[in-house]
């Protein structure tokens, strides 16, 4: 290929180029969201809408654990989707509205790419454009764009902070005592805003601050204190009011996180964390790029999210390094980028990647950094020695084609994809529940508190059984009972029920499950007042109650979700024999919890009573400890047959040591 582009190598791209690119990015985001379908993820139903509505209606701190611990997240990042949802627009219009907002990530990525690769000729302009597209193919970004997830909101000020620093470095000279600090202050402010919206942004923003300090050389101290001061200002703007409310009412500014440090009486004195995606060893961390490119591994996301770009970038950097030692560099590689800007970009990635893997390994928390892989590949491609343009084009177009193909055919583009409907929740709900407020008790990990946007506005919620199953004698449940009595609202349940395959039968045994769970709290259902709430049930067989047998096959039917809501009243006193039986099981569970703290955490997890078993869920290690038929069993849901019998029916220990922890950092497909 010829190098005619060198004739206008000093011609900068005009505003038309930037505008055309940015509009294209937005249109592609809108198209991707429409193709992906209506998002109705577990998290959305659990807390996305709730946290925004709770802020809007000033429900906190009066309403306790409506969405388990997630109900106390900063609501500001959730407000854009909640605002679009509250308009009552068609679900397509809601999605394209928030997708347009999310596309700002790619606008910022475009101008970051321009600082790395000044678009002074056609090849470089193409490389900028393709680099941004390749960045936009980040699986976590595609999964979240147009949805209610907030990582694509939090990443906007993070990328804005990086861009501000790149602009600031245009005129920065560490040998000069005269500097303009405005853009540096802006970068710190934006980074603080990002961290205030969601603490997971701390890793990227911290890496950015450290990289800027190192690039500043002898002026590093001046850069560091200015960045820190403006960062704290941004943090106070977006996170300060919410943190103050949590501190004032619960004694923990990030409640319930890091409660082992703050020891709020409203939550166990534990720091509940999830190591699900965190590599358990250095070897697994070094293998992470390979695992990301492997469809049989799920190292950073619950579904298939193949990402070949990190592996390709490592290979391209190695190729450039080797070729540069043996081939004379040509003029194409000298593309006029500010060396300090290039250094800041790569230092940020170099610091961020291992820090992110060490802290979480969750790709949703790394969107800011993973988006940068595209411009990084474009920059690397242009440094391949030689005059021919074919090699840099191959280096950028091959991964662009491959990752695009994977995104369209293999990767999970939505957690729970739904067809487009008039309203966001295609919900069948009795008028009674829309008009008569109640105090709803959710009885599973998924609280369904986001249905507060559809139920009677004065209703209240409490997630009794879930990630933090409540102690019936604890402070939270005691306070809820008092507030419930003061409110005068009737109790009602929210419980996701299984459906008999093909027949649409709702097993009557689901009422027994609710009664068993409620018995721990002195309550029971009123079976003559049970209502069904059906999500996406159009075109499905009508529902009916049905007796079940052990041979019946039933499932949580998709896409239809059926939630039962029963009125609740006080239960008769528990027989002394049953109370003693439960106490004995709890003592057995407590023994294993004390002796295996690394496997069963947090230690203060409370038991849940089922019709034929008693169990505990440990949120930090995502482990079940359950009693069934007298046996004590532990299981790791989702790992594939990882079940260990700890005690037999005669309460004899069958394990001398603690169960072996399954590998974390990835979930392998059986």
């Amino acid at each position: 290929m010829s190098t005619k582009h060198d004739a206008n190598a000093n011609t900068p791209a005009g505003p038309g180029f930037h505008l055309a690119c940015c509009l294209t990015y937005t249109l592609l985001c809108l198209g991707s969201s429409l193709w992906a379908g209506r998002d109705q993820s577990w998290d959305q139903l659990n807390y996305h809408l709730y946290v925004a509505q709770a802020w809007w209606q000033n429900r906190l701190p009066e309403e306790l654990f409506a969405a388990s611990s997630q109900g106390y997240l900063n609501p500001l990042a959730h407000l854009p989707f909640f605002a679009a949802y509250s308009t009552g627009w068609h679900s397509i219009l809601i999605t394209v509205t928030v997708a347009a907002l999310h596309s700002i990530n790619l606008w910022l990525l475009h101008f970051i790419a321009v600082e790395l690769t000044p678009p002074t000729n056609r090849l470089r302009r193409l490389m900028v454009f393709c680099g941004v597209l390749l960045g936009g193919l980040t699986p976590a970004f595609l999964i979240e764009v147009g949805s209610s997830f907030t990582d694509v909101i939090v990443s906007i000020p993070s990328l804005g902070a990086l861009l501000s620093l790149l602009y600031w470095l245009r005129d920065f000279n560490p040998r000069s005592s005269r500097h303009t600090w405005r853009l540096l202050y802006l970068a710190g402010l934006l980074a603080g805003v990002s961290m205030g919206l969601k603490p997971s942004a701390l890793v990227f923003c911290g890496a950015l601050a450290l990289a800027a300090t190192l690039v500043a050389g002898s002026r590093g101290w001046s850069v560091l204190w200015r960045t820190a001061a403006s960062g704290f200002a941004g943090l106070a703007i977006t996170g300060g009011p919410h943190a103050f409310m949590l501190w004032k009412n619960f004694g923990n500014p990030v409640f319930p996180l890091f409660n082992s440090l703050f020891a709020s009486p409203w939550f166990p004195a534990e720091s509940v964390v999830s190591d699900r995606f965190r590599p358990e060893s250095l070897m697994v961390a070094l293998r992470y790029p390979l695992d990301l490119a492997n469809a049989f591994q799920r190292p950073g996301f619950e579904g298939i999210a193949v990402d070949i770009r990190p592996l390709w970038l490592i290979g391209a950097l190695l190729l450039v390094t080797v070729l540069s030692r043996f081939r004379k560099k040509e003029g194409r590689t000298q593309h006029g980028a500010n060396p300090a800007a290039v250094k800041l970009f790569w230092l940020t990635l170099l610091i961020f990647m291992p820090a992110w893997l060490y802290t979480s390994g969750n790709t949703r928390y790394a969107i800011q950094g993973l988006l940068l892989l595209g411009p990084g590949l474009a920059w690397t491609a242009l440094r391949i020695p030689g005059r021919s343009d074919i090699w840099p084009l191959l280096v950028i177009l091959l991964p662009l084609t491959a990752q695009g193909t994977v995104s369209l055919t293999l990767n999970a583009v939505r957690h729970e994809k739904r067809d487009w409907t008039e309203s966001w929740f295609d919900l069948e709900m009795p008028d009674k529940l829309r008009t008569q407020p109640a105090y709803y008790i959710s009885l599973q990990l998924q609280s369904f508190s986001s249905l507060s946007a559809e139920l009677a506005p004065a209703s209240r919620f409490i997630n009794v059984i879930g990630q933090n199953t409540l102690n019936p004698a604890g402070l939270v449940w005691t306070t809820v009972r008092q507030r419930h009595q003061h409110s005068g609202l009737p109790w009602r349940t929210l419980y996701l029920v299984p459906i008999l395959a093909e027949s649409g039968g709702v097993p009557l045994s689901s009422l027994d499950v609710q009664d068993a769970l409620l018995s721990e709290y002195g309550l029971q259902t009123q079976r003559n007042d049970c209502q069904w709430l059906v999500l996406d049930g159009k075109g499905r067989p009508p529902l009916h109650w049905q007796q079940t047998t052990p041979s019946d096959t039933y499932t949580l039917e998709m896409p239809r979700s059926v939630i039962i809501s029963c009125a609740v009243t006080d239960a008769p006193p528990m027989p002394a024999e049953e109370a003693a039986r439960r106490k004995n099981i709890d003592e057995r569970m407590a023994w294993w919890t004390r002796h295996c703290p690394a496997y069963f955490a947090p230690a203060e997890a409370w038991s849940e009573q089922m019709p034929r078993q008693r169990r505990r869920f440990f949120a930090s290690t995502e482990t079940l400890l359950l009693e069934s038929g007298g046996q004590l069993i532990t299981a790791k849901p989702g790992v594939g047959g990882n079940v260990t019998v700890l005690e037999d029916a005669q309460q004899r220990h069958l394990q001398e040591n603690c169960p072996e922890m399954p590998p974390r950092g990835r979930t392998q497909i059986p």
Side-chain angles (χ1 to χ4, degrees):
M1 185 177 290
S2 66
T3 57
K4 294 180 181 180
H5 60 274
D6 289 337
N8 63 341
N10 294 320
T11 305
F17 166 74
H18 302 302
L19 179 61
C21 286
C22 289
L23 290 177
T24 301
Y25 304 145
T26 297
L27 290 175
L28 289 173
C29 285
L30 303 188
S32 174
S33 298
L34 292 174
W35 173 77
R38 176 169 53 99
D39 177 50
Q40 197 171 96
S41 66
W42 190 98
D43 300 73
Q44 182 182 103
L45 287 169
N46 186 43
Y47 71 94
H48 284 177
L49 286 171
Y50 170 78
V51 294
Q53 187 182 35
W55 178 84
W56 184 253
Q57 295 182 346
N58 198 30
R59 292 186 175 208
L60 299 181
E62 184 269 337
E63 195 167 43
L64 295 172
F65 289 93
S68 191
S69 57
Q70 288 98 335
Y72 295 97
L73 294 176
N74 191 330
L76 296 185
H78 293 275
L79 292 181
F81 184 87
F82 177 72
Y85 170 85
S86 299
T87 61
W89 292 339
H90 193 284
S91 58
I92 289 179
L93 188 55
I94 293 173
T95 285
V96 298
T97 300
V98 294
L101 174 63
H102 298 161
S103 71
I104 295 175
N105 284 283
L106 301 189
W107 291 28
L108 295 168
L109 195 64
H110 172 87
F111 290 103
I112 290 171
V114 165
E115 292 301 300
L116 290 178
T117 307
T120 54
N121 59 46
R122 283 176 293 180
L123 175 65
R124 294 170 189 167
R125 285 193 279 273
L126 179 61
M127 298 300 278
V128 166
F129 180 72
C130 290
V132 175
L133 291 186
L134 190 55
L137 288 174
T138 298
F141 178 78
L142 290 180
I143 288 166
E144 293 199 11
V145 69
S147 76
S148 58
F149 281 97
T150 60
D151 304 283
V152 283
I153 296 289
V154 175
S155 57
I156 292 173
S158 295
L159 293 176
L162 172 58
L163 183 60
S164 297
L165 283 176
L166 294 176
Y167 286 161
W168 173 71
L169 285 173
R170 287 177 174 180
D171 302 316
F172 177 74
N173 183 354
R175 296 184 180 86
S176 173
S177 60
R178 300 181 63 183
H179 299 287
T180 301
W181 300 102
R182 288 193 297 271
L183 287 172
L184 180 68
Y185 285 128
L186 176 61
L189 186 71
L190 290 172
V193 165
S194 184
M195 291 185 290
L197 291 175
K198 193 169 185 178
S200 60
L202 173 63
V203 179
F204 180 83
C205 295
L208 184 59
L210 179 56
T213 302
L214 294 174
V215 170
S218 60
R219 304 291 292 175
W221 172 247
S222 297
V223 169
L224 181 61
W225 78 258
R226 286 177 169 85
T227 302
S230 53
F232 278 117
L235 181 65
I237 291 171
T238 53
H242 189 69
F244 179 74
M245 182 274 293
L246 295 177
W247 175 266
K248 179 181 177 182
N249 293 281
F250 302 109
N252 180 347
V254 290
F255 182 79
L257 302 176
F258 302 109
N259 207 46
S260 59
L261 175 64
F262 295 100
S264 169
W266 296 91
F267 196 76
E270 303 271 358
S271 293
V272 178
V273 296
S274 177
D275 286 338
R276 183 176 10 171
F277 301 119
R278 183 170 173 260
E280 76 272 13
S281 68
L282 177 61
M283 185 57 65
V284 174
L286 293 174
R287 199 181 66 222
Y288 201 85
L290 279 171
D291 287 346
L292 279 176
N294 187 346
F296 293 97
Q297 299 286 340
R298 299 178 183 179
F301 183 69
E302 293 88 346
I304 298 176
V306 174
D307 193 350
I308 68 167
R309 301 168 310 142
L311 194 61
W312 190 272
L313 177 58
I314 292 171
L317 287 170
L318 290 174
L319 178 65
V320 167
T321 302
V322 171
L323 291 179
S324 298
R325 295 178 64 88
F326 296 101
R327 299 184 63 179
K328 182 181 178 181
K329 293 184 179 181
E330 303 291 342
R332 185 187 64 235
T333 62
Q334 309 301 321
H335 49 73
N338 181 359
V342 174
K343 186 177 180 181
L344 175 70
F345 177 89
W346 288 109
L347 267 178
T348 300
L349 272 181
L350 187 64
I351 297 169
F352 168 72
M353 288 299 178
W356 159 63
L357 284 177
Y358 180 78
T359 54
S360 75
N362 190 329
T363 54
R364 293 197 297 110
Y365 300 161
I367 285 178
Q368 303 97 314
L370 295 175
L371 285 171
L372 298 178
L373 297 181
L377 259 169
W379 179 90
T380 304
L382 283 172
R383 297 191 67 82
I384 294 179
R387 285 188 168 275
S388 175
D389 293 345
I390 188 65
W391 301 114
L393 286 173
L394 284 174
V395 168
I396 194 71
L397 292 178
L398 284 177
L400 181 62
T401 303
Q403 189 63 40
T405 302
V406 167
S407 299
L408 291 171
T409 59
L410 184 61
N411 284 356
V413 186
R414 287 282 190 250
H415 280 62
E416 299 292 350
K417 180 179 178 179
R418 298 288 191 270
D419 295 331
W420 297 109
T421 54
E422 179 67 29
S423 58
W424 189 266
F425 289 129
D426 186 19
L427 182 63
E428 299 174 13
M429 181 190 298
D431 290 339
K432 177 179 180 179
L433 302 186
R434 291 188 184 274
T435 58
Q436 298 180 19
Y439 214 120
Y440 287 93
I441 305 173
S442 59
L443 298 173
Q444 63 273 305
L445 285 174
Q446 190 175 30
S447 69
F448 290 102
S449 63
S450 285
L451 292 180
S452 61
E454 298 289 336
L455 295 164
S459 297
R460 290 295 180 262
F461 295 79
I462 176 67
N463 183 216
V464 174
I465 308 294
Q467 295 172 356
N468 177 43
T469 297
L470 299 183
N471 182 341
L475 175 62
V476 174
W477 179 245
T478 301
T479 305
V480 168
R481 290 297 300 253
Q482 294 171 350
R483 293 179 180 177
H484 162 259
Q485 186 176 10
H486 179 73
S487 71
L489 296 174
W491 291 117
R492 294 197 72 90
T493 61
L494 286 175
Y495 180 66
L496 182 67
V497 296
I499 306 299
L500 285 167
E502 299 181 358
S503 71
V506 179
L508 280 166
S509 58
S510 61
L511 299 177
D512 298 329
V513 175
Q514 290 186 89
D515 281 338
L517 292 169
L518 289 169
S519 67
E520 196 76 3
Y521 305 91
L523 301 172
Q524 65 181 12
T525 59
Q526 291 180 294
R527 300 195 173 197
N528 62 346
D529 186 3
C530 290
Q531 309 285 338
W532 290 329
L533 295 81
V534 184
L535 283 166
D536 297 296
K538 291 182 179 178
R540 298 279 170 170
L543 298 174
H544 60 276
W545 290 110
Q546 186 167 330
Q547 291 281 4
T548 58
T549 67
S551 61
D552 286 327
T553 301
Y554 55 90
T555 182
L556 293 176
E557 188 180 76
M558 302 304 292
R560 176 169 59 175
S561 298
V562 179
I563 303 132
I564 189 171
S565 176
C566 294
V568 173
T569 187
D570 291 334
M574 185 182 301
E577 181 180 354
E578 173 63 13
R581 185 189 72 86
R582 295 186 185 188
K583 181 179 179 182
N584 173 259
I585 295 172
D586 288 343
E587 289 173 350
R588 295 165 63 189
M589 290 182 172
W591 188 94
W592 286 98
T593 302
R594 290 193 304 271
H595 284 76
C596 303
Y599 196 90
F600 301 112
E604 295 185 42
W606 192 258
S607 300
E608 306 164 6
Q609 183 61 44
M610 301 292 286
R612 285 179 292 277
Q613 63 179 223
R614 190 165 177 82
R615 67 188 186 187
R616 290 187 183 183
F617 176 72
F618 298 87
S620 289
T621 53
E622 297 181 331
T623 303
L624 275 176
L625 180 59
L626 58 94
E627 180 274 341
S628 181
Q631 291 184 322
L632 207 59
I633 301 168
T634 183
K636 213 38 178 162
V639 179
N642 186 60
V643 176
T644 303
V645 180
L646 302 176
E647 298 180 15
D648 62 17
Q650 288 71 44
Q651 303 184 25
R652 293 175 298 197
H653 288 203
L654 304 180
Q655 294 282 322
E656 295 183 2
N657 302 314
C658 296
E660 183 179 352
M661 289 290 289
R664 68 170 186 258
R666 62 193 185 278
T667 302
Q668 190 167 16
I669 301 173

